[in-house]
Amino acid sequence: MSAPIIEIRDVSKTYDASDAARPALADFSLEVAAGEALAVLGPSGSGKSTLLNLIAGLDRPDRGVVRIAGTPVHELGEAALAGYRRERIGMVFQFFNLLDDLTVEDNVLIPAQLAGTGRVEARERANELLTRLGIARFARAYPGTLSGGQRQRVAVARALMNNPPLLLADEPTGALDSESAAEVRELLGALVAEGRTLVLVTHDTGLAAQCATRIIELVDGRLARDVRNTPLAVAR
Ligand SMILES: Nc1ncnc2c1ncn2[C@@H]1O[C@H](COP(=O)(O)OP(=O)(O)OP(=O)(O)O)[C@@H](O)[C@H]1O
Ligand SMILES: [Mg+2]
Protein backbone atom coordinates (compact mmCIF):
# COMPACT_ATOMS: atom_id res chain seq x y z
CA MET A 1 0.00 0.00 0.00
CA SER A 2 1.19 3.51 -0.71
CA ALA A 3 2.03 5.92 2.10
CA PRO A 4 -0.96 7.83 3.50
CA ILE A 5 -1.47 11.30 2.07
CA ILE A 6 -2.26 12.59 5.57
CA GLU A 7 -0.24 11.32 8.50
CA ILE A 8 -0.93 13.03 11.83
CA ARG A 9 0.80 11.56 14.82
CA ASP A 10 0.42 12.46 18.52
CA VAL A 11 -0.50 16.05 17.77
CA SER A 12 -1.48 18.41 20.56
CA LYS A 13 -2.53 22.00 20.18
CA THR A 14 -3.58 24.44 22.90
CA TYR A 15 -4.25 28.07 22.01
CA ASP A 16 -4.15 29.54 25.49
CA ALA A 17 -0.77 29.12 27.20
CA SER A 18 -2.21 28.85 30.73
CA ASP A 19 -2.08 25.44 32.42
CA ALA A 20 -5.85 25.40 32.86
CA ALA A 21 -6.52 25.78 29.12
CA ARG A 22 -8.27 22.89 27.39
CA PRO A 23 -6.36 21.58 24.37
CA ALA A 24 -8.10 22.14 21.01
CA LEU A 25 -6.51 18.84 19.92
CA ALA A 26 -5.15 16.30 22.41
CA ASP A 27 -2.70 13.50 21.45
CA PHE A 28 -4.46 13.28 18.13
CA SER A 29 -3.48 10.77 15.44
CA LEU A 30 -5.03 10.16 12.03
CA GLU A 31 -4.05 8.60 8.71
CA VAL A 32 -5.90 9.27 5.47
CA ALA A 33 -5.15 7.41 2.23
CA ALA A 34 -5.14 9.05 -1.19
CA GLY A 35 -8.62 8.94 -2.70
CA GLU A 36 -10.42 9.01 0.63
CA ALA A 37 -13.04 11.68 1.24
CA LEU A 38 -13.00 12.36 4.96
CA ALA A 39 -15.85 14.22 6.64
CA VAL A 40 -15.02 15.66 10.06
CA LEU A 41 -18.05 16.10 12.31
CA GLY A 42 -18.29 17.20 15.92
CA PRO A 43 -19.82 19.83 18.17
CA SER A 44 -18.76 23.46 18.08
CA GLY A 45 -15.34 23.88 19.67
CA SER A 46 -14.37 20.22 19.28
CA GLY A 47 -11.27 21.03 17.22
CA LYS A 48 -12.45 20.56 13.63
CA SER A 49 -11.12 23.83 12.23
CA THR A 50 -7.95 23.44 14.28
CA LEU A 51 -7.35 20.08 12.60
CA LEU A 52 -7.98 21.56 9.15
CA ASN A 53 -5.69 24.52 9.82
CA LEU A 54 -2.86 22.23 10.93
CA ILE A 55 -3.24 20.18 7.73
CA ALA A 56 -3.30 23.39 5.68
CA GLY A 57 -0.15 24.69 7.36
CA LEU A 58 -2.09 27.74 8.58
CA ASP A 59 -1.26 26.87 12.17
CA ARG A 60 1.33 24.79 13.99
CA PRO A 61 0.99 21.94 16.48
CA ASP A 62 2.56 22.36 19.92
CA ARG A 63 3.96 18.90 19.41
CA GLY A 64 3.55 15.92 17.12
CA VAL A 65 3.91 15.19 13.43
CA VAL A 66 1.83 16.57 10.54
CA ARG A 67 3.06 14.95 7.33
CA ILE A 68 1.07 15.70 4.18
CA ALA A 69 1.94 14.01 0.87
CA GLY A 70 5.39 13.33 2.31
CA THR A 71 5.94 16.94 3.44
CA PRO A 72 6.74 17.39 7.16
CA VAL A 73 4.46 20.41 7.54
CA HIS A 74 5.17 20.78 11.28
CA GLU A 75 8.86 21.43 10.47
CA LEU A 76 8.46 24.05 7.73
CA GLY A 77 9.35 27.74 8.06
CA GLU A 78 7.08 30.50 6.77
CA ALA A 79 8.42 30.62 3.20
CA ALA A 80 8.28 26.85 2.78
CA LEU A 81 4.77 26.83 4.27
CA ALA A 82 3.60 29.37 1.69
CA GLY A 83 4.97 27.16 -1.08
CA TYR A 84 3.38 24.10 0.48
CA ARG A 85 -0.04 25.75 0.64
CA ARG A 86 0.26 27.00 -2.93
CA GLU A 87 1.24 23.65 -4.43
CA ARG A 88 -0.28 21.00 -2.21
CA ILE A 89 -3.50 22.41 -0.80
CA GLY A 90 -6.72 23.70 -2.29
CA MET A 91 -9.00 25.29 0.28
CA VAL A 92 -12.70 26.16 0.29
CA PHE A 93 -14.25 28.26 3.04
CA GLN A 94 -17.72 28.86 4.44
CA PHE A 95 -17.84 32.46 3.21
CA PHE A 96 -16.08 31.81 -0.14
CA ASN A 97 -13.18 34.27 0.50
CA LEU A 98 -13.42 35.54 -3.07
CA LEU A 99 -12.06 38.98 -3.97
CA ASP A 100 -15.15 41.00 -4.85
CA ASP A 101 -13.37 43.57 -7.03
CA LEU A 102 -11.91 40.89 -9.30
CA THR A 103 -13.89 39.01 -11.93
CA VAL A 104 -14.69 35.33 -11.49
CA GLU A 105 -11.94 34.41 -13.95
CA ASP A 106 -9.35 36.58 -12.21
CA ASN A 107 -10.25 35.07 -8.85
CA VAL A 108 -9.70 31.59 -10.27
CA LEU A 109 -6.37 32.71 -11.80
CA ILE A 110 -4.87 33.87 -8.48
CA PRO A 111 -3.28 30.54 -7.43
CA ALA A 112 -1.71 30.13 -10.88
CA GLN A 113 -0.26 33.64 -10.71
CA LEU A 114 1.20 32.92 -7.29
CA ALA A 115 2.72 29.73 -8.69
CA GLY A 116 4.19 31.60 -11.66
CA THR A 117 2.23 29.65 -14.28
CA GLY A 118 2.33 31.23 -17.74
CA ARG A 119 -0.65 33.45 -18.56
CA VAL A 120 -1.87 31.48 -21.58
CA GLU A 121 -1.67 28.13 -19.85
CA ALA A 122 -3.32 29.52 -16.71
CA ARG A 123 -6.24 31.03 -18.63
CA GLU A 124 -6.75 27.79 -20.51
CA ARG A 125 -6.90 25.86 -17.25
CA ALA A 126 -9.20 28.45 -15.64
CA ASN A 127 -11.63 28.31 -18.51
CA GLU A 128 -11.57 24.54 -18.54
CA LEU A 129 -12.40 24.48 -14.82
CA LEU A 130 -15.13 27.11 -15.13
CA THR A 131 -16.69 25.08 -17.92
CA ARG A 132 -16.47 21.83 -15.97
CA LEU A 133 -18.07 23.43 -12.94
CA GLY A 134 -20.85 24.94 -15.05
CA ILE A 135 -19.96 28.60 -14.43
CA ALA A 136 -18.15 29.57 -17.63
CA ARG A 137 -20.87 32.11 -18.44
CA PHE A 138 -19.88 34.06 -15.32
CA ALA A 139 -16.17 34.32 -16.20
CA ARG A 140 -16.34 38.10 -16.62
CA ALA A 141 -18.91 38.72 -13.89
CA TYR A 142 -18.08 39.86 -10.37
CA PRO A 143 -18.66 37.46 -7.48
CA GLY A 144 -21.13 39.84 -5.83
CA THR A 145 -23.61 39.27 -8.68
CA LEU A 146 -23.65 35.46 -8.22
CA SER A 147 -25.75 33.21 -5.99
CA GLY A 148 -24.11 31.53 -3.00
CA GLY A 149 -23.93 28.21 -4.80
CA GLN A 150 -22.33 29.82 -7.85
CA ARG A 151 -19.82 31.66 -5.65
CA GLN A 152 -18.88 28.46 -3.91
CA ARG A 153 -18.34 26.81 -7.29
CA VAL A 154 -15.96 29.66 -8.17
CA ALA A 155 -14.14 29.00 -4.88
CA VAL A 156 -13.86 25.30 -5.75
CA ALA A 157 -12.48 26.20 -9.20
CA ARG A 158 -9.89 28.43 -7.53
CA ALA A 159 -9.00 25.63 -5.10
CA LEU A 160 -8.46 23.23 -8.02
CA MET A 161 -6.44 25.67 -10.14
CA ASN A 162 -3.00 24.29 -9.23
CA ASN A 163 -4.36 20.73 -9.20
CA PRO A 164 -3.39 20.11 -5.56
CA PRO A 165 -3.26 16.54 -4.22
CA LEU A 166 -5.45 17.54 -1.30
CA LEU A 167 -8.66 19.57 -1.18
CA LEU A 168 -9.80 21.00 2.18
CA ALA A 169 -13.20 22.50 2.90
CA ASP A 170 -14.42 24.12 6.12
CA GLU A 171 -18.24 24.27 6.24
CA PRO A 172 -18.59 24.72 2.46
CA THR A 173 -22.40 24.65 2.70
CA GLY A 174 -22.59 26.51 6.03
CA ALA A 175 -23.61 29.86 4.53
CA LEU A 176 -25.85 28.57 1.73
CA ASP A 177 -29.59 28.31 1.21
CA SER A 178 -30.85 24.75 0.72
CA GLU A 179 -30.83 24.91 -3.09
CA SER A 180 -27.26 26.24 -3.23
CA ALA A 181 -26.18 23.71 -0.59
CA ALA A 182 -27.56 20.89 -2.72
CA GLU A 183 -25.62 22.25 -5.69
CA VAL A 184 -22.35 22.30 -3.74
CA ARG A 185 -22.99 18.81 -2.30
CA GLU A 186 -23.43 17.53 -5.83
CA LEU A 187 -20.22 19.17 -7.00
CA LEU A 188 -18.15 17.84 -4.10
CA GLY A 189 -19.71 14.40 -4.59
CA ALA A 190 -18.62 14.46 -8.23
CA LEU A 191 -15.05 15.37 -7.25
CA VAL A 192 -14.98 12.49 -4.77
CA ALA A 193 -16.35 10.12 -7.42
CA GLU A 194 -13.44 11.02 -9.69
CA GLY A 195 -11.00 10.14 -6.90
CA ARG A 196 -10.06 13.53 -5.40
CA THR A 197 -8.75 13.35 -1.85
CA LEU A 198 -10.89 15.59 0.29
CA VAL A 199 -11.16 16.63 3.92
CA LEU A 200 -14.47 18.21 4.71
CA VAL A 201 -15.31 19.86 8.03
CA THR A 202 -19.04 20.20 8.41
CA HIS A 203 -22.12 20.27 10.61
CA ASP A 204 -24.09 19.20 7.54
CA THR A 205 -24.64 15.44 8.04
CA GLY A 206 -26.36 15.30 4.64
CA LEU A 207 -23.16 16.58 3.02
CA ALA A 208 -21.11 13.96 4.90
CA ALA A 209 -23.48 11.15 3.91
CA GLN A 210 -23.56 12.25 0.28
CA CYS A 211 -19.84 12.88 -0.27
CA ALA A 212 -17.67 11.13 2.32
CA THR A 213 -16.06 7.70 2.09
CA ARG A 214 -15.17 7.97 5.77
CA ILE A 215 -16.66 9.97 8.64
CA ILE A 216 -14.88 10.88 11.85
CA GLU A 217 -16.26 12.73 14.81
CA LEU A 218 -14.26 14.88 17.21
CA VAL A 219 -15.27 15.50 20.81
CA ASP A 220 -13.09 17.75 22.98
CA GLY A 221 -10.16 17.48 20.60
CA ARG A 222 -10.19 13.68 20.49
CA LEU A 223 -11.35 11.10 17.97
CA ALA A 224 -14.76 9.84 19.16
CA ARG A 225 -15.87 7.96 16.04
CA ASP A 226 -14.31 6.71 12.81
CA VAL A 227 -16.58 4.91 10.33
CA ARG A 228 -16.67 4.04 6.63
CA ASN A 229 -19.42 5.53 4.49
CA THR A 230 -20.68 4.82 1.00
CA PRO A 231 -21.15 8.21 -0.62
CA LEU A 232 -24.44 8.61 -2.47
CA ALA A 233 -22.77 10.29 -5.41
CA VAL A 234 -20.64 7.18 -5.99
CA ALA A 235 -23.45 4.71 -5.34
CA ARG A 236 -25.62 6.32 -7.98
N1 LIG B 1 -7.40 31.37 17.30
C1 LIG B 1 -7.82 30.86 18.46
N2 LIG B 1 -7.47 31.43 19.65
C2 LIG B 1 -7.87 30.90 20.82
N3 LIG B 1 -8.64 29.81 20.93
C3 LIG B 1 -9.03 29.20 19.79
C4 LIG B 1 -8.64 29.70 18.50
N4 LIG B 1 -9.17 28.89 17.57
C5 LIG B 1 -9.85 27.94 18.23
N5 LIG B 1 -9.76 28.12 19.56
C6 LIG B 1 -10.36 27.25 20.60
O1 LIG B 1 -9.96 25.91 20.32
C7 LIG B 1 -11.06 25.01 20.49
C8 LIG B 1 -11.36 24.30 19.17
O2 LIG B 1 -11.81 25.27 18.23
P1 LIG B 1 -12.12 24.95 16.70
O3 LIG B 1 -12.28 26.26 16.02
O4 LIG B 1 -11.08 24.03 16.17
O5 LIG B 1 -13.51 24.20 16.85
P2 LIG B 1 -14.54 23.76 15.72
O6 LIG B 1 -14.81 22.31 15.97
O7 LIG B 1 -14.07 24.15 14.39
O8 LIG B 1 -15.84 24.60 16.12
P3 LIG B 1 -17.01 25.23 15.16
O9 LIG B 1 -17.91 24.08 14.83
O10 LIG B 1 -17.68 26.21 16.06
O11 LIG B 1 -16.36 25.86 13.97
C9 LIG B 1 -12.21 25.85 21.02
O12 LIG B 1 -12.21 25.76 22.43
C10 LIG B 1 -11.88 27.25 20.56
O13 LIG B 1 -12.40 28.21 21.43
MG1 LIG C 1 -14.79 25.46 12.90
Side-chain angles (χ1 to χ4, degrees):
M1 232 190 88
S2 56
I5 188 161
I6 296 177
E7 184 190 348
I8 294 176
R9 208 156 8 95
D10 302 326
V11 158
S12 292
K13 173 77 187 174
T14 305
Y15 288 100
D16 186 338
S18 79
D19 286 346
R22 254 185 346 104
L25 284 178
D27 293 320
F28 187 87
S29 297
L30 178 74
E31 285 192 0
V32 177
E36 277 193 292
L38 181 77
V40 183
L41 306 180
S44 187
S46 59
K48 304 182 300 295
S49 295
T50 301
L51 173 62
L52 209 65
N53 289 339
L54 291 177
I55 295 170
L58 292 168
D59 212 337
R60 284 169 193 288
D62 299 331
R63 57 172 190 275
V65 170
V66 179
R67 199 183 304 278
I68 310 295
T71 306
V73 178
H74 61 288
E75 288 177 351
L76 300 183
E78 283 310 317
L81 274 178
Y84 162 76
R85 284 195 293 267
R86 195 170 60 228
E87 286 156 26
R88 300 275 165 195
I89 299 295
M91 204 154 177
V92 177
F93 303 90
Q94 179 171 5
F95 296 105
F96 325 120
N97 289 18
L98 298 171
L99 298 178
D100 286 330
D101 50 1
L102 293 185
T103 64
V104 162
E105 183 183 32
D106 286 340
N107 268 282
V108 173
L109 281 169
I110 292 171
Q113 279 164 350
L114 293 174
T117 310
R119 177 107 189 129
V120 173
E121 186 189 337
R123 289 194 63 164
E124 229 166 71
R125 166 115 180 116
N127 289 320
E128 184 192 306
L129 276 169
L130 291 173
T131 301
R132 240 185 67 208
L133 301 191
I135 42 176
R137 65 191 182 283
F138 303 120
R140 280 178 187 75
Y142 289 87
T145 65
L146 273 54
S147 75
Q150 289 161 349
R151 274 188 253 189
Q152 199 59 300
R153 279 192 274 167
V154 175
V156 171
R158 180 183 58 185
L160 294 175
M161 188 63 199
N162 290 344
N163 198 22
L166 185 58
L167 190 62
L168 306 177
D170 197 347
E171 297 285 5
T173 58
L176 301 178
D177 60 77
S178 58
E179 194 177 319
S180 288
E183 198 178 305
V184 168
R185 281 193 209 122
E186 188 130 328
L187 166 58
L188 293 175
L191 294 175
V192 171
E194 67 179 52
R196 284 247 164 224
T197 311
L198 179 70
V199 178
L200 188 64
V201 164
T202 187
H203 288 281
D204 181 348
T205 50
L207 175 64
Q210 181 166 344
C211 299
T213 61
R214 179 179 172 193
I215 300 175
I216 66 171
E217 191 175 335
L218 301 190
V219 175
D220 291 338
R222 294 176 188 276
L223 198 60
R225 197 163 70 103
D226 186 350
V227 296
R228 305 245 145 244
N229 180 64
T230 305
L232 299 176
V234 175
R236 227 189 350 239

